Amino acid sequence: MTDKGMKKALRLVLQVLINAVIILILIRVFMYAYDFSYKVFTDSCMNPMNKSEVQFVIPPDSTTMEIVESLADEGLVEDQYVMLAKVYLSSYHGKMMPGTYTLSPSMTQDEILKTITGTSLKEEEE
């Protein structure tokens, strides 16, 4: 095989390898995006077997990010970014009220949001 033939073969092998790597990266990105979206649009809880209760405090003037970080730190939500996306995509954004709440890792994300926004209380009154 000549030098030209060897260079063409090497170039072809490199192109195939680069394309394969790009395809694998794209597959990984799409898998991550699907997993993230699935977690945002499903209503799951951190640990359905853990019935312990946590006193969760929302200080006045807390930002949404601070509240969600605190929920993650207390072990009430699995992923703070999933919860943050859920808050921004829902009607709960901007409705979290300061106060002390009794929450549990067995509560779903939606139950937690209803509790800290007072939505469940308003629905019961109506």
Side-chain angles (χ1 to χ4, degrees):
M1 190 174 237
T2 64
D3 278 345
K4 280 187 175 182
M6 194 65 112
K7 285 182 182 179
K8 283 183 180 181
L10 187 58
R11 186 174 294 132
L12 179 66
V13 168
L14 245 114
Q15 286 176 342
V16 169
L17 284 175
I18 290 171
N19 289 338
V21 168
I22 290 171
I23 289 171
L24 290 174
I25 290 171
L26 285 174
I27 289 171
R28 189 72 180 139
V29 168
F30 283 120
M31 286 173 55
Y32 176 78
Y34 174 81
D35 187 48
F36 185 82
S37 304
Y38 181 81
K39 288 178 182 177
V40 169
F41 293 107
T42 56
D43 195 25
S44 61
C45 62
M46 181 70 175
N47 184 354
M49 303 310 253
N50 186 353
K51 302 293 182 192
S52 65
E53 293 182 343
V54 175
Q55 293 296 320
F56 183 73
V57 179
I58 298 178
D61 299 326
S62 294
T63 65
T64 302
M65 186 65 187
E66 291 170 341
I67 295 169
V68 170
E69 283 176 354
S70 296
L71 286 169
D73 291 343
E74 292 289 333
L76 296 167
V77 294
E78 186 176 347
D79 186 342
Q80 69 186 26
Y81 298 108
V82 168
M83 187 65 155
L84 190 63
K86 191 174 200 83
V87 169
Y88 281 119
L89 293 172
S90 70
S91 61
Y92 301 120
H93 180 59
K95 296 182 181 177
M96 294 181 205
M97 300 185 304
T100 302
Y101 302 94
T102 303
L103 304 176
S104 171
S106 64
M107 294 174 78
T108 65
Q109 296 168 343
D110 212 35
E111 290 172 335
I112 291 172
L113 288 172
K114 282 181 181 178
T115 302
I116 64 179
T117 59
T119 305
S120 59
L121 299 175
K122 291 177 188 172
E123 288 174 355
E124 289 173 6
E125 289 174 3
E126 293 176 357

